[in-house]
Amino acid sequence: MSTENSSASSAVEDSPKSEQVTRLEQTNPDYDPNVVVETQNLTKIYRDFWGRQKVRALNALDLEVRKGEIFGLLGPNGSGKSTTIKLLLGLLFPTSGRALVFGKNATEVTKNERIGYLPEESYLYKFLTAEETLDFYGRLFDMPAAVRKERVESLIEQVGLTWAKRRQLKEYSKGMTRRIGLAQALINDPELILLDEPTSGLDPLGTREMKDMILKLRDQGKTIIMCSHLLADVQDVCDRIAVLYQGDLKELGRVDSLLQVSDETQIRAKNLPESAAEEIRAVIAKHGGEVLSVENPRTTLEELFLDIVRESQARPGHRSSGVESN
Amino acid sequence: MVVERFPDFFQWIGPGSLLFLAILVAAILLGLFVGYVVAVFRHGPFEAFYVVAQVIGDAIPDFLGMSLRRLVAIARLTAKEALRRRVLLVTFAIFAAMLLFGGWFLNSSSEHPDRIYVNFVMWGTQMLVLLMGMLVSAFSLPEDIKNKTIYTVVTKPVRSSEVVLGRIMGLGAVCTALLALMAVISFFFVWRGLSHEHQLVGDTQTLSSFVEVDQGSRKSRFSGRRVSENAVMEAQTTQDSGHSHRLELVEDIRDADSPPLVASNVVDSEKLPNGRVKYRRVVCHPIGGHTHPVTVDGEGKDARIQLGSSVGYFRARVPVYADSLRFRDRAGDMKDRGTNVGNEWGYRGYIDGGSSGIQSSLARGLFRFSGLRESLFRRTEVIPLDMSLSVFRTYKANVEKRVMAGLEFESVPDNPEVDNRFVSDMITFETNEYTLQTLPIPRKLVGKLLAPDGSIVGQGEYDLFDDYAKNGNLLLSLSCRDPGQFLGVARADVYFRAGDTLYWLNFFKGYLGIWCQLMIIIAMGVAFSTFLNTPVTMLGIVVMAILGFYSGFVRELTLPDTDGGGPIESFVRVITQQNMQVSLETGVLTTAMEQIDKLLVWLLAGLTYLAPDFSQLDFSDFLTYGYSIDPQRLIVAMVITAAFVVGLTILGYFALKTREIAK
């Protein structure tokens, strides 16, 4: 186990961050301040009461998440995304291998000072109001009352819940709960944010807002790890993704390069007559290319829906004609 | 009431801390062993060593890094959560119903209704509150884990120790509030249930309702009992709360310059030719430990006689016990135990009254007091000596005639070979069998001053504090003055009553005992629920509580050479119908059985040390019998409670730290 790491990190717990980094570099030659999360051969096997293997949830995962990027964990249900996040948070213990966060062992509690976590469903105390919720989590970070008050107010405003801040969470809709969930993850102004299915259960508008928020956080220099099974979400916001399937890492890389289909060429034009299209087909055939399809490009469904919503908000009562014409 | 010998706090804390440390070290070693074995299964023998080392290495910074703000935050949240559960409300509803309807079934006409009332509320509160403590604590953490709300808590820089201790604090706070409320309500319930008033039976509430005492037999016309020596008239009160009192008009003759004993109940006074004054007063005879103050409004035959509300139920006596009790037998030889009168409770030793042939038996019960100072007593002109004596009769004769006893006081000189000693004359009195009797001891006692050789140096009235107990030591010797009869005493049966403390204060001290038990139960519930599910946690608490309530009995079972052997041997004897005393056939099976029994008994003995000794935290007897609870006992109870909370927090910390929160 990482005895070196833990002893080094516990010794520097209270030092300022820059000093901490230098000292970590001195004591741990492997530590790279730009690597926020690192997993080495990380494996998780769920066992039953008798110790018999039930599920191999994660198999020898090697990952490295660098500072300031949005990293997406992608995969179908049960592929090991949530398990990875829980291992990084210390909610689960690895069967073998190790998970390091800020160069510290994931089970160490002090690393949580710099982490924000939004669980899959917002597991919050339903009998508290938004204000009380954030105040409670602020206390858990040992924030003094004045700082806490200021932070709670600005976060509630940031997630747009000022109007409902005195209502108990049990009265909240799914989207509102999600937002307050995000606010609690940001209460300590974390450097690393872990989001487990951040858009699940949200309507397209809420999804877009969440994505915008994630991008904004990245712009503020934060590192974000999110997991999702919704391809569109991951595609829109992630810089790099890892695709997991049944506990195995299948793909890892930058989103743009992963999604780029290098042997296909897409041509988009406006007001092109049918004859011109025929000509183009001929040109392609001449050069030995194969025409896959010629069609009018389509916007994504999400974009369309957003257009309608925006349109309806701008001109209430007016029925958008764009739907039928497409 | 049986008061065991109880060392003071400073005598207790030394061995107490040693025991605590021993248990702690044993628990740590056991924890290390179990932790290592579990880690071996998970990681293999070599890596397990590092895993265990890391957990221990993390523990110290984790405990040092605890923050009060986080603790309070978790405590507040837990309290809110617990309040939302219906358990507290239901508990309070049951308690309210218990008081509302329980009052119907409490027999207020019994001899000691105060004992019944106090016992009822204390027992009821204790059971309800402990059950409530068990339920709220066993559900709290598992529910949080089940709802996964704990995910957002443990992913913050919250130490496992804060989760455990915060929960104990939060649940403790709400349960304490409820217990306090129940204590206040109980107090008023007892107070209201016991206070009552009486009226005189007769046409008027004046002396005309009184009748002359039968001067021939001097027995009461109402009860048939003997009346007081100076009684001239008597009357009876109405039957209220299941009893009636007898009133007597007594005549006191006092010096002209000394006022009547009680001024408010004087009917009239008359100057006698010899210059003294005869006061006629109305007194109310106590029943079941209470009486009513009599006030006389006016003078003479038309004076209005009023009886006030009951007094005497709510007592918190402060006893000054003897350090030791030894006996002298009939021949005057010192013995550690009294005479054995046969199949009687071994608690008391008996003092032989001699036989009719030898009139003056030398048998004595010798109570040795130390640290007896005037400052201990509230009133020092007359010092009350409380006694609960039992009598063993070898002949019946006149059963109504009470057995006579004698008391002598002696000083215990520091240097008996040189110093003179004071010996008082014998004070004889009638014993009240079975009930507590109070003998007023005057401060000035007639006696002799004896030289070491036994010769009389002086004679006269000597002061109890300044002469007899000058160095704080005093010997009280009790003897039986009726030949053929025996007086039974134990050390706690005879004591000086230094005064009374405030009853309500004592009442709340009694509830502090319940609070200590409650806190231990809550701490157990939280600590156990870090690694057990709710039903198993509750089972664990019940087992520990039973061991705690009956720790004395269970420890007796684990003594070596118990008849019938250990659990397995006993079981075999039961099913094979073998006598407890018959030794079993020797063989491999018997040996194996005995060895397993030894292990089981050893485990059971170990468990009794882990279980809280609730008898040290239970003060209900003090309240029931009206004794003040010594602050030393309270301190000891608090320290025991704190030790359990600390120990269980440590257990909970390691259990929570080494478990996976997520599934």
Side-chain angles (χ1 to χ4, degrees):
Chain A
M1 294 297 283
S2 62
T3 41
E4 272 183 359
N5 276 327
S6 60
S7 59
S9 51
S10 58
V12 294
E13 217 169 274
D14 298 324
S15 333
K17 277 176 195 167
S18 58
E19 197 187 322
Q20 197 173 340
V21 169
T22 353
R23 286 181 63 182
L24 266 172
E25 275 173 333
Q26 285 164 357
T27 50
N28 180 1
D30 295 337
Y31 181 68
D32 177 357
N34 281 318
V35 176
V36 174
V37 169
E38 192 185 354
T39 68
Q40 295 165 354
N41 198 28
L42 191 64
T43 305
K44 178 69 194 175
I45 298 169
Y46 288 111
R47 296 178 190 279
D48 67 3
F49 180 79
W50 306 107
R52 292 175 302 193
Q53 181 170 338
K54 251 165 60 184
V55 188
R56 183 175 277 264
L58 202 61
N59 198 12
L61 180 71
D62 286 310
L63 277 184
E64 215 179 71
V65 178
R66 305 189 74 78
K67 198 174 176 187
E69 69 175 347
I70 304 181
F71 190 89
L73 286 165
L74 197 63
N77 290 336
S79 57
K81 309 180 298 279
S82 282
T83 302
T84 311
I85 295 236
K86 282 171 185 165
L87 283 165
L88 291 178
L89 285 163
L91 289 172
L92 290 176
F93 303 149
T95 309
S96 65
R98 60 178 187 168
L100 299 178
V101 180
F102 298 117
K104 290 182 189 181
N105 209 313
T107 49
E108 217 175 283
V109 73
T110 48
K111 70 161 195 327
N112 292 348
E113 304 269 3
R114 300 154 75 186
I115 290 183
Y117 167 56
L118 172 69
E120 195 172 338
E121 279 168 48
S122 302
Y123 302 122
L124 301 169
Y125 295 94
K126 304 271 183 230
F127 53 89
L128 297 180
T129 66
E131 262 183 337
E132 287 168 345
T133 303
L134 295 187
D135 186 70
F136 168 66
Y137 292 112
R139 281 170 194 266
L140 295 189
F141 282 100
D142 215 355
M143 288 180 175
V147 180
R148 215 160 58 220
K149 193 161 180 276
E150 196 189 307
R151 188 91 190 122
V152 167
E153 262 175 38
S154 81
L155 273 173
I156 287 183
E157 204 184 305
Q158 207 177 321
V159 296
L161 285 173
T162 315
W163 56 281
K165 65 179 181 184
R166 296 222 166 79
R167 275 165 60 178
Q168 287 191 335
L169 298 196
K170 62 181 172 202
E171 298 170 20
Y172 272 30
S173 70
K174 175 105 189 175
M176 288 159 80
T177 316
R178 215 69 196 125
R179 284 193 235 171
I180 196 71
L182 183 66
Q184 69 80 26
L186 301 178
I187 188 88
N188 56 328
D189 195 16
E191 293 164 51
L192 169 66
I193 302 161
L194 293 142
L195 307 170
D196 199 345
E197 306 278 359
T199 57
S200 79
L202 292 183
D203 60 13
L205 192 64
T207 306
R208 169 50 60 196
E209 278 177 1
M210 182 63 87
K211 285 194 229 170
D212 288 345
M213 193 89 84
I214 293 169
L215 290 170
K216 211 161 94 190
L217 288 169
R218 195 254 321 262
D219 294 343
Q220 287 167 13
K222 303 193 185 307
T223 312
I224 292 150
I225 299 178
M226 58 179 276
C227 74
S228 181
H229 56 261
L230 300 171
L231 297 155
D233 296 350
V234 177
Q235 182 188 337
D236 283 358
V237 294
C238 292
D239 299 318
R240 287 202 307 145
I241 54 169
V243 182
L244 293 171
Y245 185 71
Q246 290 185 344
D248 287 317
L249 181 66
K250 297 286 181 192
E251 196 69 74
L252 176 70
R254 294 198 64 80
V255 176
D256 37 18
S257 55
L258 281 178
L259 293 185
Q260 193 177 22
V261 189
S262 48
D263 55 352
E264 286 179 23
T265 310
Q266 192 176 4
I267 299 167
R268 288 176 78 174
K270 214 175 171 181
N271 300 331
L272 197 69
E274 190 56 34
S275 57
E278 281 305 317
E279 264 177 55
I280 291 167
R281 272 180 218 267
V283 171
I284 292 169
K286 190 178 143 193
H287 289 279
E290 187 195 347
V291 178
L292 292 174
S293 71
V294 176
E295 58 197 15
N296 293 338
R298 294 175 70 94
T299 170
T300 59
L301 184 63
E302 193 187 327
E303 271 175 28
L304 175 71
F305 181 83
L306 284 172
D307 277 345
I308 297 168
V309 173
R310 282 191 206 111
E311 185 90 28
S312 328
Q313 280 173 344
R315 277 180 284 169
H318 177 76
R319 188 184 158 86
S320 172
S321 59
V323 184
E324 281 140 21
S325 65
N326 277 311
Chain B
M1 177 182 157
V2 180
V3 180
E4 296 162 52
R5 180 174 300 271
F6 191 79
D8 69 12
F9 175 70
F10 294 100
Q11 288 174 332
W12 171 86
I13 190 73
S17 327
L18 273 182
L19 182 66
F20 176 70
L21 280 179
I23 291 170
L24 201 66
V25 168
I28 288 171
L29 290 178
L30 190 71
L32 280 178
F33 176 72
V34 172
Y36 181 74
V37 169
V38 172
V40 164
F41 274 103
R42 281 190 191 158
H43 306 277
F46 189 65
E47 212 177 316
F49 179 75
Y50 285 104
V51 173
V52 172
Q54 201 190 354
V55 169
I56 294 163
D58 282 352
I60 295 157
D62 271 4
F63 272 96
L64 292 179
M66 275 167 70
S67 119
L68 187 66
R69 192 177 278 134
R70 278 197 290 263
L71 268 180
V72 172
I74 293 173
R76 275 177 50 172
L77 184 89
T78 312
K80 273 187 193 175
E81 216 179 5
L83 279 176
R84 287 175 41 77
R85 296 231 171 80
R86 302 281 152 80
V87 180
L88 278 93
L89 198 69
V90 169
T91 306
F92 188 72
I94 296 175
F95 175 74
M98 187 183 95
L99 294 196
L100 280 176
F101 304 112
W104 297 352
F105 304 102
L106 293 181
N107 182 9
S108 55
S109 61
S110 73
E111 196 177 349
H112 287 287
D114 51 338
R115 292 184 188 173
I116 295 177
Y117 267 79
V118 171
N119 233 341
F120 170 70
V121 289
M122 284 208 77
W123 187 82
T125 314
Q126 185 188 23
M127 288 301 132
L128 274 176
V129 163
L130 294 190
L131 196 68
M132 171 188 75
M134 182 181 86
L135 286 174
V136 290
S137 61
F139 274 100
S140 179
L141 197 59
E143 281 286 299
D144 219 11
I145 294 172
K146 200 178 108 198
N147 296 337
K148 298 182 180 170
T149 37
I150 197 154
Y151 286 14
T152 45
V153 174
V154 292
T155 51
K156 307 280 184 277
V158 176
R159 275 67 177 172
S160 302
S161 43
E162 290 166 340
V163 173
V164 175
L165 192 58
R167 256 167 212 283
I168 296 174
M169 281 163 60
L171 295 174
V174 280
C175 292
T176 303
L178 189 68
L179 177 64
L181 185 68
M182 284 158 93
V184 172
I185 295 173
S186 298
F187 181 78
F188 284 104
F189 175 78
V190 172
W191 181 70
R192 220 187 124 252
L194 292 179
S195 57
H196 61 273
E197 285 178 10
H198 296 275
Q199 300 264 304
L200 275 180
V201 174
D203 298 334
T204 56
Q205 301 293 311
T206 60
L207 271 191
S208 53
S209 298
F210 279 62
V211 292
E212 296 282 335
V213 165
D214 179 359
Q215 292 297 340
S217 67
R218 292 208 60 80
K219 279 188 178 172
S220 165
R221 292 176 201 274
F222 303 113
S223 65
R225 292 252 185 106
R226 276 156 73 87
V227 297
S228 310
E229 276 173 34
N230 52 353
V232 285
M233 293 178 94
E234 60 173 345
Q236 207 179 11
T237 69
T238 50
Q239 190 90 4
D240 287 294
S241 285
H243 65 270
S244 69
H245 295 262
R246 216 162 50 75
L247 297 184
E248 281 180 356
L249 184 72
V250 294
E251 287 180 347
D252 282 340
I253 297 168
R254 296 178 66 83
D255 290 335
D257 51 347
S258 54
L261 276 174
V262 183
S264 62
N265 60 9
V266 175
V267 178
D268 49 31
S269 56
E270 187 189 331
K271 245 195 162 102
L272 297 178
N274 60 6
R276 303 183 82 184
V277 184
K278 182 169 85 180
Y279 292 102
R280 296 209 302 161
R281 301 185 298 123
V282 179
V283 291
C284 176
H285 269 245
I287 282 181
H290 85 283
T291 182
H292 297 262
V294 180
T295 38
V296 175
D297 198 8
E299 215 177 284
K301 215 161 167 50
D302 298 325
R304 200 178 152 72
I305 295 162
Q306 274 180 309
L307 290 167
S309 190
S310 50
V311 289
Y313 277 137
F314 307 107
R315 257 194 296 239
R317 305 183 194 94
V318 182
V320 178
Y321 289 111
D323 289 345
S324 64
L325 166 63
R326 297 190 71 197
F327 292 88
R328 273 185 203 281
D329 66 9
R330 191 189 282 208
D333 294 331
M334 287 298 274
K335 293 273 156 66
D336 283 335
R337 300 188 63 85
T339 308
N340 187 349
V341 293
N343 194 14
E344 286 275 321
W345 188 23
Y347 173 62
R348 290 197 166 96
Y350 284 78
I351 304 165
D352 191 346
S355 61
S356 42
I358 312 161
Q359 282 289 337
S360 53
S361 163
L362 291 175
R364 297 281 188 279
L366 301 169
F367 294 84
R368 195 187 157 131
F369 292 84
S370 66
L372 206 64
R373 293 181 313 275
E374 195 180 340
S375 58
L376 285 174
F377 293 83
R378 186 173 293 175
R379 290 173 55 191
T380 50
E381 318 83 68
V382 174
I383 298 112
L385 184 74
D386 281 1
M387 287 175 285
S388 335
L389 305 176
S390 87
V391 172
F392 179 79
R393 291 168 191 257
T394 54
Y395 64 93
K396 245 181 197 170
N398 183 0
V399 182
E400 278 201 6
K401 189 179 167 289
R402 298 189 178 178
V403 172
M404 296 297 291
L407 268 182
E408 291 151 289
F409 296 90
E410 271 178 50
S411 56
V412 185
D414 294 329
N415 197 347
E417 278 157 30
V418 183
D419 298 340
N420 296 341
R421 68 195 172 99
F422 296 92
V423 180
S424 78
D425 291 353
M426 187 177 283
I427 301 167
T428 51
F429 61 97
E430 281 186 350
T431 57
N432 264 4
E433 293 169 48
Y434 312 117
T435 51
L436 184 79
Q437 71 183 123
T438 303
L439 200 68
I441 306 293
R443 183 172 175 155
K444 301 282 181 199
L445 285 166
V446 178
K448 303 180 188 78
L449 181 60
L450 301 179
D453 60 4
S455 56
I456 299 169
V457 180
Q459 226 166 348
E461 272 194 351
Y462 297 109
D463 193 275
L464 187 66
F465 295 113
D466 298 339
D467 299 323
Y468 290 98
K470 195 174 182 186
N471 55 359
N473 299 333
L474 182 75
L475 198 69
L476 182 157
S477 80
L478 180 72
S479 51
C480 179
R481 305 318 302 166
D482 266 327
Q485 315 289 40
F486 291 80
L487 270 186
V489 281
R491 187 185 67 95
D493 282 340
V494 176
Y495 58 86
F496 287 108
R497 193 163 147 197
D500 286 2
T501 51
L502 288 172
Y503 184 76
W504 63 266
L505 192 67
N506 205 41
F507 195 84
F508 288 104
K509 278 198 227 163
Y511 273 76
L512 264 182
I514 299 181
W515 179 80
C516 289
Q517 300 173 16
L518 170 71
M519 288 308 290
I520 292 178
I521 293 278
I522 288 176
M524 268 189 205
V526 173
F528 290 176
S529 66
T530 52
F531 58 96
L532 298 174
N533 61 18
T534 304
V536 185
T537 298
M538 290 204 276
L539 192 70
I541 297 174
V542 169
V543 168
M544 290 307 251
I546 289 175
L547 280 177
F549 278 115
Y550 303 105
S551 56
F553 169 70
V554 179
R555 227 166 265 176
E556 234 169 69
L557 285 183
T558 61
L559 290 178
D561 305 326
T562 319
D563 276 343
I568 295 178
E569 193 183 321
S570 307
F571 181 71
V572 170
R573 279 176 192 274
V574 168
I575 53 166
T576 55
Q577 301 187 350
Q578 290 192 67
N579 189 310
M580 287 215 297
Q581 271 78 24
V582 175
S583 45
L584 295 174
E585 250 177 68
T586 47
V588 182
L589 269 177
T590 311
T591 314
M593 191 166 71
E594 280 170 358
Q595 291 310 313
I596 296 171
D597 270 348
K598 258 189 198 163
L599 182 74
L600 288 174
V601 165
W602 184 78
L603 279 175
L604 192 64
L607 267 183
T608 61
Y609 283 99
L610 290 181
D613 183 358
F614 278 144
S615 65
Q616 286 201 29
L617 310 174
D618 188 1
F619 302 134
S620 53
D621 272 0
F622 285 83
L623 286 188
T624 308
Y625 294 96
Y627 289 92
S628 171
I629 298 161
D630 193 339
Q632 305 249 17
R633 277 179 189 259
L634 277 186
I635 298 173
V636 167
M638 294 288 180
V639 173
I640 289 175
T641 309
F644 268 96
V645 171
V646 168
L648 288 164
T649 304
I650 295 173
L651 171 72
Y653 165 79
F654 281 109
L656 197 61
K657 178 94 180 166
T658 51
R659 74 167 274 177
E660 290 182 325
I661 302 285
K663 285 249 165 67

